[in-house]
Amino acid sequence: MGTTTATTGGRGRAGAAAAGLVLAGALLLAGCGGSAPAPAPAAAPVPAAPTTTVDASAKSYCDTVARVQAEQSSPQSGQGGVQVASATARRQVADLVATAPPELADDWRTVQRSTEQALASLARTGGDPRKIDRDQLAELEQQSRPAVAHIKTVTEQRCHVAFRTPG
């Protein structure tokens, strides 16, 4: 669980969760995994395995997506309080903006702006996610929804990942 107190750890996780709302209902938290093909009937020939080779032009972006997802799902994610979690979220989104393929650049900048606004709202509460403006978060999430949908679609295609819905 880490060395932080329950209150600090809880606040850090809650702050990260609040920021995660803007990041498309945990787009970054969604684990990736391939879907296994259905077994073929015994009499049918076995089809060739689908290729999962990532195009060289998308490799840096796909590597960044994988790294950010691993960081977000780590047991240490959200530890260290709201300021640390906020700085981490900013860095992660900036890394995704920097490596995004051209067709996703504007979408990631939209997510980045929404994330900044959500984190600023959280900062205004003194880091207390219970006091964050939920209406503003809902509005930011709605505004970023088309960008996030496009990010998910293109990322799934280019990086061969499947996003789970948060659970």
Side-chain angles (χ1 to χ4, degrees):
M1 174 118 310
T3 59
T4 59
T5 65
T7 303
T8 303
R11 277 188 157 190
R13 287 203 179 275
L21 292 174
V22 175
L23 298 175
L27 169 66
L28 300 178
L29 295 174
C32 45
S35 57
V46 177
T51 180
T52 57
T53 304
V54 173
D55 185 294
S57 66
K59 184 166 179 15
S60 178
Y61 172 68
C62 296
D63 289 348
T64 302
V65 169
R67 178 184 51 81
V68 168
Q69 288 180 332
E71 289 173 1
Q72 289 287 320
S73 63
S74 164
Q76 290 78 35
S77 176
Q79 297 296 314
V82 172
Q83 286 183 329
V84 171
S86 295
T88 298
R90 283 183 177 99
R91 178 189 49 80
Q92 290 168 339
V93 174
D95 290 349
L96 290 160
V97 168
T99 60
E103 70 265 32
L104 292 180
D106 287 340
D107 295 318
W108 273 115
R109 283 191 288 273
T110 296
V111 170
Q112 187 176 41
R113 282 189 301 273
S114 295
T115 300
E116 283 300 325
Q117 290 175 334
L119 293 174
S121 178
L122 180 62
R124 285 191 298 274
T125 71
D128 186 347
R130 296 170 298 188
K131 295 179 181 176
I132 199 163
D133 184 342
R134 301 284 177 206
D135 291 336
Q136 181 189 20
L137 282 182
E139 183 178 326
L140 290 170
E141 185 177 11
Q142 183 175 359
Q143 289 171 358
S144 64
R145 191 170 290 138
V148 168
H150 189 233
I151 288 168
K152 287 173 91 172
T153 298
V154 172
T155 301
E156 287 172 350
Q157 292 169 350
R158 304 271 318 257
C159 300
H160 308 287
V161 299
F163 291 97
R164 290 190 309 243
T165 55

